[in-house]
Amino acid sequence: ELQSRGDLEIPPCSGTGYTPAAMTVLAGSAGFPAYSTPASSDCPKHLSVTVEDFEVVCRGLYRALCIREKNMQQSLQRFPKTPSQYLRTIEGETWKPSDVGPVFTPPVKDGQDPFDTGNLPEDLGYHVQMKDGVVYVYADKAAAERNEPKDLPYPSLEHFIDDMNFLLVLIAQGPVKTYSHRRLKFLSSKFQVHEMLNELDEMKELKNNPHRDFYNCRKVDTHIHAAACMNQKHLLRFIKKSYLVDANRVVYDAKGKQLTLKQLFQQLKLQPYDLTVDSLDVHAGRQTFQRFDKFNDKYNPVGASELRDLYLKTENAINGEYFATIIKEVGSDLEDAKYQHTEPRLSIYGRSPEEWAKLAKWFNTHRVYSPNMKWMIQVPRIYDVFRSKNFLPHFGKMLEYIFVPVFEATVNPQAHKELSVFLRHITGFDSVDDESKHSGHMFSTKSPKPEEWTSQKNPSYTYYIYYMYANILVLNNLRRQRGMNTFLFRPHCGEAGAITHLLAAFMTADNISHGLNLKKSPVLQYLYFLAQIPIAMSPLSNNSLFLEYAKNPLLDFHQKGLMVSLSTDDPMQFHYTKEPLMEEYAIAAQVFKLSTCDMCEIARNSILQCGMSHEEKVKFLGQNYQEDGPDGNDIRKTNVAQIRVAYRYETWCYELNLIAEGLKNE
Amino acid sequence: ELQSRGDLEIPPCSGTGYTPAAMTVLAGSAGFPAYSTPASSDCPKHLSVTVEDFEVVCRGLYRALCIREKNMQQSLQRFPKTPSQYLRTIEGETWKPSDVGPVFTPPVKDGQDPFDTGNLPEDLGYHVQMKDGVVYVYADKAAAERNEPKDLPYPSLEHFIDDMNFLLVLIAQGPVKTYSHRRLKFLSSKFQVHEMLNELDEMKELKNNPHRDFYNCRKVDTHIHAAACMNQKHLLRFIKKSYLVDANRVVYDAKGKQLTLKQLFQQLKLQPYDLTVDSLDVHAGRQTFQRFDKFNDKYNPVGASELRDLYLKTENAINGEYFATIIKEVGSDLEDAKYQHTEPRLSIYGRSPEEWAKLAKWFNTHRVYSPNMKWMIQVPRIYDVFRSKNFLPHFGKMLEYIFVPVFEATVNPQAHKELSVFLRHITGFDSVDDESKHSGHMFSTKSPKPEEWTSQKNPSYTYYIYYMYANILVLNNLRRQRGMNTFLFRPHCGEAGAITHLLAAFMTADNISHGLNLKKSPVLQYLYFLAQIPIAMSPLSNNSLFLEYAKNPLLDFHQKGLMVSLSTDDPMQFHYTKEPLMEEYAIAAQVFKLSTCDMCEIARNSILQCGMSHEEKVKFLGQNYQEDGPDGNDIRKTNVAQIRVAYRYETWCYELNLIAEGLKNE
């Protein structure tokens, strides 16, 4: 049962009992208003906006947070308690704990089969049908014809566009920009003061914490692609091993001609025994910087798409057996290492209606399961490619292929047994592709509906994101009704391209991957801080593609208190060692001089961000992990100093409180 | 047998057959003189010194190289062929291959016992005695009284001081500084051009090179301290394991009171089961930056010197058993990983005459051997500490304790069996301590002789270095006469402190560790380039102690063509993963964006720099590894592109040739 403290009033701004030295200094005599009660007439002075502007700013930020809160709650995603409490205070309302949120599949128990198809719920007999790019659920076909969908929350495009337009104005508004910029600068400096004053005390807490250190606190690789989840050396070894065992096995279908592994390599003029990491050529190098296209080619071992098909795909002449085996080896290594988990993404393209069934079959047939892995579905934004090859008549069809099968399996699980099992192990959706490509399209109420989007041009990022979100919203509510697990929306966002991407994700996504471009928008950065939106950052990946390591904003974000985790993205392309996630942490620790407390805080963030079940989170973070602030931290499990968590919490409350103060006279 | 090409004339400046595109551009039409024959009247123009200055510069650099050549040859250390050939050309002499150089112990053969004491040479009956800080060898005591030493090369302090004073002037001379600075800048730019033009060709070479890649080319950790050669997690695991097995064993002598492991931990108020990496507290953090003293304290697990004594020392109540076991575990991990080697340093302090015998006993008793380890002796420069505690009457006594036992074992191995075996496994001497401490002493002919150095003040770095070198010189020549292996002098140098340290090492050391301060002296940096003096760099160590990672000159030195290798220094304090050397390479590769060719070149440098036997170097680098330039590179073993090696060689010859041209009219 979820633990909650429903009767909590607005969080105290001091007196958590952990108030470290820095707080005293910051709250007391340092020349700006006392900690918990800035007199509203004083505020603007140190905030460098006028009294009038300050109210405008606070109103804007307030509404932005309300938009996100509403969207998260409707789609059964997460919005933290603390800002909700402040929003209710501003409204003069009493905060009540929300009873909606994501549903995760409980962990597989000992003796239980993760692929068990018993106890699948009955067929509801509902009819599902897409309308304007969103799947609707009807009691039956007749109800669909009458346009009488079942009573589920459906998204409103008009409201979404309204909200979006409001936010587009907000992030460009002078005073809001100034205010956000100043607050972020303040957060930076404040952390530095905190560090100087409390670093040794934090370390002392950790030293006195028995059993637990950075090595045995749990950490999740929050962003990783299944097709690149092994490192280059592992893939090389696997290819050589497969040749030793399977040389004479038919493994490839070259347009109807069956080839054995030996024949395939002969055709490619390759001798597996001679292969090296160099000739395999899957590692990103200086050539891939700012070249997402070249990076994508790195998925082809030895530059041969045949080998990608054979080793890194779920659909091929051997039914994806090699790929499944490699992934299971990665899983088994993780289980051996014990404290590391990973959330690999598998692709659904929306190119044909059978994709889900095939992927589910692969998953079930090869029993691709590890307790240290949680699965996600990534949808590449490549409608334009499929349309130009005439695989799809319009964008709506792509959405249909992506979502309708999932709705059908949700309505009638017994008719889609493998898919139902597979969906039980899926925790979220990702949206992926090169963000630096510009679509030229601007999402508005006048944009063509997905069924009308017949042009060869790709829709904009926001358009994609909205329709992913809209369908997940309906789907999650349906699945919750059925007692099934729901899905988080966790798109790639802000790796490159326009800052509107980050705005779209602010409105729709539980959490994101990358977030680099928050650098470019103080308002969005401040909003991501206020809403504590988790960001899975991959500085080694960025270093090979978009941004040099030392310039990565990870450290800056972390210091300001944005909720960042570390992830590998693509160990095959970026990492050198057998433990890519540890490599990612080690390099960040070295280059950014992170303390153990920093590293453990980031590890804790990764568990909070990920799609693990409630039971697992309790096990890895402690009973009260859902509480904000020090009450939610169990140092015995997380190895994060209470001083740190108290600092974060009080800092967060201080910022939220400023907004509440700014709106007190309204 | 050593392969040599004695009849080689001065190396050709082009036409090695590998001349890559960059060379053509650089040699041809790029606006500066053609590659191999700069007309001497043209030289100064692009060298930005006048004709007269150019001659002065060349004469200075020439003499500097001659000094090093002479000192290396006298002490049986290494000086490459190519600059020797140019020096002879300048002198109008014909170059003959030198038949002197270091002698390494051949690898232990299958079935052979590395600790075998059979076949130790007979007693020569010689008498050894220190005079003015240098050990002299006499036929017998009477000869010593007559002051008639055996016919061995002995160092001349006067010559050394003369040479030193010459070099001190040289590195401060305006035109030499300008010239060196310009040449180094040129080398940087030239490498960048090379990279842009030939990067893909180098990569192609590597891709076409079967079997070999970065993972399976050999690499040596050229600078590592035995007492910190395990990582923090390994030490923690070992401590916990020892407690499980040995709780009731007497392991510690507390001033006569025998303590069991359990009692020792009780006395320290520690519960081994509760220990974590945090409480172990051996990792360097932000607190150690610019604080070598704090860093040294990190050698004490849980801050307790008792645990350092028990786990990380060779002399204690259990005769260093735990320390030996940990090291053997590290060795066995290396053997499993196969391609990684390491050169750990053990300490001789010069505090008592029994140190060598005790250390040798430890080594033999616990059979501390791994084919992947070569041993070195480090001598801390802490005379002042010992003198202040009255352990030593003067500095000469310290030198005596350090060197006389080795001479005695060399003269009469059968009387010092364990030490003789130990010395067979020793490949060199290191000189260690905090270089940023300033001694205030300036080495000159007027400096007190070591026996007269009775003050509590520490001698200067140069003074230490000279007397280490002087004794190694005599010792090596004696050992060579006896058919025994000789020692390389490989001090820590240029990690901090005055640039005179780097000057002293230029005169005396086969190769050095760190070398950061070459940044500060263009002349020395250029000389280290010209003489290709190997530098074992440890950017992760520097990052915790002296210099932030991104500011490390490793990349700059590598690009210019200085001979750098990568080393870990202290995995216990600096590294996070199970493979510290791979972590060091991975981080350098990521932060500096090294190509595979760069990494393999650095790995190759590490083998050339290290104290491995000729047989092993042949095995790991190829038959002709002693040749300079592409003839010496076997890509099948090193995975370094021939284009790269040709580029390096031609660049090197070009610089040497400039000096020869500058002196043509003399």
Side-chain angles (χ1 to χ4, degrees):
Chain A
E1 198 199 13
L2 301 195
Q3 173 115 354
S4 71
R5 302 196 308 172
D7 52 350
L8 231 194
E9 290 192 40
I10 190 159
C13 286
S14 62
T16 55
Y18 304 103
T19 309
M23 290 303 88
T24 316
V25 169
L26 292 172
S29 53
F32 37 83
Y35 188 64
S36 53
T37 52
S40 77
S41 63
D42 283 355
C43 277
K45 212 183 289 172
H46 80 277
L47 302 171
S48 62
V49 285
T50 65
V51 179
E52 296 72 34
D53 278 353
F54 182 50
E55 277 198 34
V56 171
V57 167
C58 291
R59 214 177 305 125
L61 294 173
Y62 161 74
R63 184 170 163 200
L65 289 173
C66 287
I67 290 170
R68 179 168 169 83
E69 184 188 41
K70 177 189 66 187
N71 289 2
M72 289 301 102
Q73 287 176 354
Q74 281 193 350
S75 60
L76 304 182
Q77 300 190 83
R78 296 171 292 190
F79 189 81
K81 280 179 200 174
T82 303
S84 279
Q85 290 168 333
Y86 278 98
L87 297 179
R88 292 307 84 74
T89 307
I90 290 167
E91 291 153 1
E93 307 267 328
T94 313
W95 176 77
K96 282 192 292 286
S98 157
D99 59 348
V100 291
V103 182
F104 298 109
T105 305
V108 176
K109 293 193 187 70
D110 280 350
Q112 196 182 338
D113 178 9
F115 301 94
D116 181 25
T117 53
N119 291 322
L120 289 176
E122 56 179 356
D123 181 11
L124 292 177
Y126 291 168
H127 175 71
V128 301
Q129 190 175 314
M130 181 160 281
K131 195 177 81 179
D132 293 346
V134 179
V135 181
Y136 282 72
V137 184
Y138 304 92
D140 47 33
K141 216 159 185 176
E145 275 154 25
R146 293 193 309 274
N147 197 16
E148 286 175 2
K150 298 287 295 180
D151 183 28
L152 282 170
Y154 293 97
S156 154
L157 177 62
E158 291 67 33
H159 285 164
F160 183 86
I161 301 269
D162 271 0
D163 290 345
M164 185 184 81
N165 287 336
F166 163 75
L167 288 168
L168 280 170
V169 172
L170 183 77
I171 65 170
Q173 232 169 6
V176 187
K177 279 162 76 173
T178 302
Y179 180 81
S180 300
H181 176 75
R182 292 276 301 190
R183 297 314 305 160
L184 289 166
K185 236 179 116 176
F186 177 80
L187 288 170
S188 265
S189 310
K190 189 169 167 183
F191 185 81
Q192 272 152 33
V193 173
H194 164 73
E195 218 172 25
M196 283 187 272
L197 291 173
N198 301 310
E199 189 172 19
L200 293 177
D201 287 331
E202 287 182 353
M203 209 178 289
K204 206 166 140 194
E205 263 197 77
L206 302 191
K207 280 192 194 175
N208 291 330
N209 183 31
H211 308 302
R212 198 64 62 192
D213 57 35
F214 172 69
Y215 290 93
N216 63 23
C217 71
R218 297 280 170 161
K219 43 203 89 68
V220 186
D221 195 339
T222 41
H223 165 205
I224 180 168
H225 302 283
C229 73
M230 73 302 296
N231 79 358
Q232 53 177 352
K233 188 76 185 160
H234 182 176
L235 179 62
L236 180 68
R237 226 173 35 231
F238 187 88
I239 292 176
K240 293 190 177 203
K241 204 171 60 188
S242 70
Y243 194 81
L244 282 179
V245 180
D246 279 352
N248 294 315
R249 173 176 173 189
V250 171
V251 296
Y252 199 78
D253 185 331
K255 291 174 189 161
K257 202 182 151 203
Q258 306 290 308
L259 296 181
T260 64
L261 194 51
K262 197 170 175 178
Q263 289 166 330
L264 176 64
F265 274 102
Q266 274 167 352
Q267 184 177 304
L268 294 169
K269 297 193 174 57
L270 290 175
Q271 187 37 262
Y273 178 68
D274 286 344
L275 278 182
T276 65
V277 158
D278 300 330
S279 49
L280 193 67
D281 195 23
V282 293
H283 219 245
R286 279 174 291 203
Q287 280 70 35
T288 53
F289 201 66
Q290 299 290 357
R291 288 294 301 273
F292 205 89
D293 53 335
K294 282 203 175 184
F295 165 73
N296 266 336
D297 290 342
K298 291 285 181 183
Y299 273 101
N300 297 321
V302 209
S305 64
E306 293 88 343
L307 296 185
R308 180 182 189 170
D309 287 344
L310 180 58
Y311 290 102
L312 302 175
K313 292 273 187 185
T314 55
E315 279 182 53
N316 53 31
I318 55 167
N319 298 315
E321 180 191 316
Y322 287 162
F323 187 43
T325 308
I326 295 176
I327 290 179
K328 285 189 285 183
E329 288 175 359
V330 170
S332 143
D333 287 348
L334 289 172
E335 290 159 44
D336 290 347
K338 187 169 172 183
Y339 299 101
Q340 293 171 41
H341 299 248
T342 191
E343 304 194 286
R345 274 78 167 155
L346 290 165
S347 293
I348 288 288
Y349 296 92
R351 197 193 122 157
S352 96
E354 288 89 36
E355 282 176 37
W356 276 103
K358 285 181 183 168
L359 188 59
K361 188 175 187 54
W362 169 83
F363 187 78
N364 282 270
T365 308
H366 301 295
R367 300 180 63 83
V368 188
Y369 172 79
S370 159
N372 291 47
M373 287 179 167
K374 298 288 165 193
W375 293 93
M376 287 185 55
I377 294 298
Q378 63 178 17
V379 181
R381 295 186 298 275
I382 49 173
Y383 159 79
D384 53 338
V385 175
F386 297 149
R387 181 71 193 93
S388 72
K389 293 184 180 161
N390 228 356
F391 296 152
L392 297 170
H394 52 71
F395 185 67
K397 195 51 87 181
M398 183 170 171
L399 289 170
E400 213 178 298
Y401 293 160
I402 295 168
F403 288 105
V404 167
V406 185
F407 275 86
E408 282 171 346
T410 301
V411 167
N412 187 2
Q414 304 197 10
H416 307 273
K417 285 189 176 166
E418 287 182 329
L419 180 50
S420 295
V421 166
F422 183 43
L423 290 173
R424 214 157 60 197
H425 293 281
I426 300 289
T427 63
F429 285 87
D430 194 348
S431 173
V432 301
D433 199 25
D434 180 1
E435 285 187 72
S436 66
K437 288 192 298 192
H438 190 65
S439 73
H441 169 251
M442 176 74 202
F443 190 28
S444 73
T445 45
K446 289 179 199 133
S447 301
K449 295 282 179 295
E451 289 88 343
E452 299 157 2
W453 193 291
T454 53
S455 101
Q456 290 202 5
K457 275 178 55 182
N458 218 15
S460 70
Y461 181 90
T462 307
Y463 192 92
Y464 267 105
I465 292 298
Y466 171 72
Y467 284 104
M468 293 279 294
Y469 162 76
N471 283 291
I472 291 169
L473 185 160
V474 182
L475 179 62
N476 277 351
N477 282 284
L478 177 66
R479 288 182 68 85
R480 183 168 178 258
Q481 280 191 356
R482 301 226 66 188
M484 295 171 176
N485 62 302
T486 60
F487 307 115
L488 300 172
F489 185 38
R490 302 170 60 183
H492 278 53
C493 183
E495 184 182 15
I499 56 165
T500 49
H501 301 190
L502 288 156
L503 192 153
F506 176 78
M507 296 177 67
T508 59
D510 185 87
N511 64 75
I512 63 168
S513 294
H514 290 303
L516 295 181
N517 278 345
L518 287 173
K519 268 213 234 199
K520 298 183 185 165
S521 169
V523 181
L524 280 167
Q525 193 183 134
Y526 192 52
L527 284 171
Y528 273 69
F529 164 77
L530 291 173
Q532 289 287 296
I533 303 177
I535 308 167
M537 301 191 76
S538 307
L540 285 178
S541 162
N542 304 146
N543 187 51
S544 291
L545 272 166
F546 289 104
L547 189 70
E548 274 155 37
Y549 203 99
K551 293 183 190 156
N552 200 288
L554 171 81
L555 179 66
D556 181 48
F557 290 176
H558 167 72
Q559 290 178 330
K560 286 170 178 162
L562 277 82
M563 190 179 177
V564 295
S565 67
L566 270 169
S567 55
T568 59
D569 199 347
D570 300 275
M572 182 176 86
Q573 278 98 331
F574 304 127
H575 297 70
Y576 287 94
T577 67
K578 288 175 212 155
E579 296 189 283
L581 187 61
M582 283 301 285
E583 186 177 342
E584 193 79 41
Y585 272 93
I587 297 182
Q590 302 276 13
V591 176
F592 298 132
K593 302 208 172 181
L594 300 179
S595 70
T596 305
C597 190
D598 292 327
M599 288 167 79
C600 293
E601 189 183 10
I602 291 170
R604 177 173 180 257
N605 286 347
S606 77
I607 305 271
L608 289 170
Q609 172 173 10
C610 80
M612 263 181 202
S613 66
H614 173 65
E615 293 81 352
E616 288 161 298
K617 283 177 183 151
V618 164
K619 190 170 159 201
F620 301 148
L621 296 182
Q623 196 59 47
N624 299 330
Y625 78 93
Q626 286 171 309
E627 299 303 322
D628 295 326
D631 289 346
N633 180 48
D634 184 344
I635 185 175
R636 293 167 306 174
K637 298 194 177 258
T638 62
N639 205 41
V640 183
Q642 287 292 54
I643 296 175
R644 171 66 60 92
V645 184
Y647 168 79
R648 294 293 192 202
Y649 186 56
E650 292 174 16
T651 301
W652 188 26
C653 291
Y654 184 85
E655 297 301 318
L656 290 166
N657 192 50
L658 276 179
I659 299 172
E661 291 290 329
L663 296 175
K664 211 158 60 178
N665 304 325
E666 290 232 317
Chain B
E1 195 198 12
L2 301 196
Q3 173 115 353
S4 71
R5 303 196 308 173
D7 52 351
L8 229 195
E9 290 192 41
I10 190 160
C13 287
S14 62
T16 55
Y18 305 103
T19 309
M23 292 301 87
T24 316
V25 169
L26 292 172
S29 53
F32 38 81
Y35 189 64
S36 54
T37 52
S40 78
S41 64
D42 282 355
C43 276
K45 211 184 291 174
H46 79 278
L47 302 171
S48 60
V49 286
T50 65
V51 179
E52 297 72 34
D53 278 353
F54 182 52
E55 277 199 34
V56 171
V57 167
C58 291
R59 213 177 306 125
L61 295 173
Y62 161 74
R63 186 173 161 196
L65 289 173
C66 287
I67 290 170
R68 178 167 169 85
E69 183 188 40
K70 177 189 68 189
N71 289 2
M72 289 300 102
Q73 287 176 354
Q74 281 192 352
S75 59
L76 303 182
Q77 300 188 83
R78 296 172 291 192
F79 189 81
K81 280 179 198 171
T82 303
S84 279
Q85 291 167 334
Y86 278 97
L87 296 178
R88 292 307 84 72
T89 308
I90 290 166
E91 291 153 2
E93 307 266 328
T94 315
W95 176 78
K96 282 193 291 287
S98 157
D99 59 348
V100 291
V103 182
F104 297 109
T105 305
V108 176
K109 292 193 188 68
D110 280 348
Q112 197 183 338
D113 178 9
F115 302 94
D116 181 27
T117 54
N119 292 322
L120 288 176
E122 56 180 357
D123 182 10
L124 291 177
Y126 291 169
H127 174 72
V128 301
Q129 189 175 316
M130 180 160 282
K131 196 177 79 180
D132 293 346
V134 178
V135 182
Y136 281 73
V137 185
Y138 304 92
D140 48 33
K141 216 158 183 177
E145 275 152 27
R146 292 193 310 273
N147 196 17
E148 286 174 3
K150 297 288 293 180
D151 184 27
L152 282 170
Y154 293 97
S156 154
L157 177 62
E158 291 67 33
H159 285 164
F160 184 86
I161 302 270
D162 270 0
D163 290 344
M164 184 184 80
N165 287 336
F166 162 75
L167 288 168
L168 280 170
V169 172
L170 183 77
I171 64 171
Q173 232 169 6
V176 186
K177 277 162 75 174
T178 302
Y179 180 81
S180 299
H181 176 75
R182 292 277 301 189
R183 297 314 305 159
L184 289 167
K185 237 180 114 174
F186 177 80
L187 289 170
S188 265
S189 311
K190 190 169 168 184
F191 185 81
Q192 272 152 34
V193 173
H194 164 73
E195 218 172 24
M196 284 187 272
L197 291 173
N198 302 309
E199 191 171 16
L200 294 177
D201 287 331
E202 287 182 351
M203 210 179 289
K204 207 166 140 193
E205 263 197 76
L206 302 191
K207 281 192 195 175
N208 291 330
N209 183 31
H211 308 302
R212 197 66 62 192
D213 57 35
F214 173 69
Y215 290 93
N216 63 21
C217 72
R218 297 278 171 163
K219 44 204 89 67
V220 187
D221 195 339
T222 41
H223 165 204
I224 180 168
H225 303 283
C229 73
M230 73 302 297
N231 79 357
Q232 53 177 353
K233 188 76 185 161
H234 182 176
L235 178 60
L236 180 69
R237 226 174 34 230
F238 187 88
I239 291 176
K240 293 192 175 201
K241 202 171 61 188
S242 70
Y243 195 80
L244 283 180
V245 180
D246 279 352
N248 295 314
R249 174 177 172 188
V250 171
V251 296
Y252 199 78
D253 185 330
K255 291 173 187 159
K257 201 183 152 202
Q258 307 290 307
L259 296 181
T260 64
L261 193 51
K262 198 170 176 179
Q263 289 166 331
L264 176 64
F265 274 101
Q266 275 166 352
Q267 186 177 304
L268 294 169
K269 298 195 172 55
L270 290 175
Q271 186 39 262
Y273 177 68
D274 286 345
L275 279 182
T276 65
V277 157
D278 300 330
S279 49
L280 193 68
D281 194 22
V282 293
H283 219 245
R286 279 174 290 203
Q287 279 70 34
T288 53
F289 201 66
Q290 299 290 358
R291 287 295 300 274
F292 205 89
D293 53 336
K294 282 202 175 185
F295 165 74
N296 265 337
D297 291 341
K298 291 285 181 184
Y299 272 101
N300 297 321
V302 209
S305 64
E306 292 88 342
L307 296 186
R308 179 181 191 169
D309 287 345
L310 179 57
Y311 289 101
L312 302 176
K313 292 273 187 185
T314 56
E315 278 183 52
N316 53 31
I318 55 168
N319 298 314
E321 180 190 314
Y322 286 163
F323 188 41
T325 308
I326 295 176
I327 290 178
K328 285 190 285 184
E329 288 176 359
V330 170
S332 144
D333 287 348
L334 289 172
E335 290 159 45
D336 289 347
K338 188 169 172 185
Y339 300 101
Q340 293 171 42
H341 300 249
T342 190
E343 304 195 286
R345 274 77 167 157
L346 291 165
S347 293
I348 287 289
Y349 296 92
R351 198 192 122 156
S352 98
E354 289 89 35
E355 283 175 37
W356 276 103
K358 285 180 182 168
L359 188 59
K361 188 176 188 54
W362 170 83
F363 186 79
N364 282 270
T365 308
H366 300 296
R367 300 180 63 83
V368 188
Y369 171 79
S370 159
N372 291 46
M373 286 180 167
K374 298 289 165 194
W375 294 92
M376 287 186 54
I377 293 297
Q378 63 179 17
V379 181
R381 295 186 299 275
I382 49 174
Y383 158 79
D384 53 338
V385 175
F386 297 149
R387 180 72 193 93
S388 71
K389 293 183 180 162
N390 230 355
F391 296 153
L392 296 170
H394 53 71
F395 185 68
K397 195 51 87 181
M398 184 170 170
L399 289 169
E400 213 178 298
Y401 293 159
I402 295 167
F403 288 105
V404 168
V406 185
F407 276 87
E408 283 170 346
T410 301
V411 167
N412 186 3
Q414 305 199 6
H416 307 273
K417 284 187 176 168
E418 288 183 328
L419 181 50
S420 296
V421 166
F422 183 43
L423 291 172
R424 215 157 59 196
H425 293 281
I426 300 290
T427 64
F429 284 87
D430 194 348
S431 172
V432 300
D433 199 24
D434 180 2
E435 284 187 72
S436 66
K437 288 191 298 192
H438 189 66
S439 73
H441 169 251
M442 175 74 204
F443 190 29
S444 73
T445 45
K446 287 176 199 134
S447 301
K449 294 282 181 297
E451 290 87 343
E452 298 157 4
W453 192 292
T454 53
S455 102
Q456 290 202 4
K457 274 179 53 182
N458 218 16
S460 70
Y461 181 91
T462 308
Y463 192 93
Y464 267 105
I465 292 297
Y466 171 72
Y467 284 104
M468 293 279 294
Y469 162 77
N471 283 292
I472 291 168
L473 185 159
V474 183
L475 179 62
N476 277 351
N477 282 284
L478 177 66
R479 289 182 68 85
R480 182 167 181 257
Q481 280 190 358
R482 301 225 65 188
M484 294 172 177
N485 61 303
T486 59
F487 307 115
L488 301 173
F489 186 38
R490 303 169 59 182
H492 278 51
C493 183
E495 184 182 14
I499 57 165
T500 50
H501 301 189
L502 288 156
L503 192 153
F506 176 79
M507 297 178 67
T508 59
D510 185 88
N511 63 74
I512 62 168
S513 294
H514 290 303
L516 296 182
N517 278 346
L518 287 174
K519 266 211 232 200
K520 298 183 184 166
S521 169
V523 181
L524 280 167
Q525 194 183 133
Y526 192 53
L527 284 170
Y528 273 69
F529 165 78
L530 291 173
Q532 288 287 296
I533 302 176
I535 309 167
M537 301 190 77
S538 308
L540 285 178
S541 162
N542 304 146
N543 187 51
S544 292
L545 273 166
F546 289 105
L547 188 70
E548 274 154 38
Y549 203 100
K551 292 183 190 157
N552 201 288
L554 171 80
L555 179 66
D556 181 48
F557 290 176
H558 168 72
Q559 290 179 329
K560 285 170 178 162
L562 277 81
M563 190 180 177
V564 295
S565 67
L566 271 170
S567 55
T568 60
D569 199 345
D570 299 275
M572 182 175 85
Q573 279 99 331
F574 304 127
H575 296 71
Y576 286 94
T577 68
K578 288 175 210 155
E579 296 189 283
L581 187 61
M582 283 301 285
E583 186 177 342
E584 193 79 39
Y585 272 95
I587 297 183
Q590 302 276 12
V591 176
F592 298 133
K593 302 209 171 179
L594 300 179
S595 69
T596 305
C597 190
D598 292 327
M599 287 167 80
C600 293
E601 189 183 12
I602 292 170
R604 177 173 179 257
N605 286 347
S606 78
I607 306 272
L608 289 170
Q609 172 172 11
C610 80
M612 263 181 203
S613 67
H614 173 65
E615 293 81 351
E616 288 161 299
K617 284 178 182 151
V618 164
K619 190 168 159 204
F620 301 148
L621 296 183
Q623 197 59 47
N624 299 330
Y625 78 93
Q626 285 172 310
E627 300 304 321
D628 295 327
D631 289 347
N633 181 48
D634 184 344
I635 184 174
R636 294 167 305 175
K637 298 191 177 260
T638 63
N639 205 41
V640 183
Q642 287 292 55
I643 295 175
R644 171 66 60 92
V645 184
Y647 168 79
R648 295 292 192 201
Y649 186 56
E650 293 174 16
T651 302
W652 188 25
C653 291
Y654 184 86
E655 297 300 319
L656 290 165
N657 192 51
L658 274 180
I659 299 172
E661 291 290 328
L663 297 174
K664 213 158 58 177
N665 303 326
E666 290 233 313

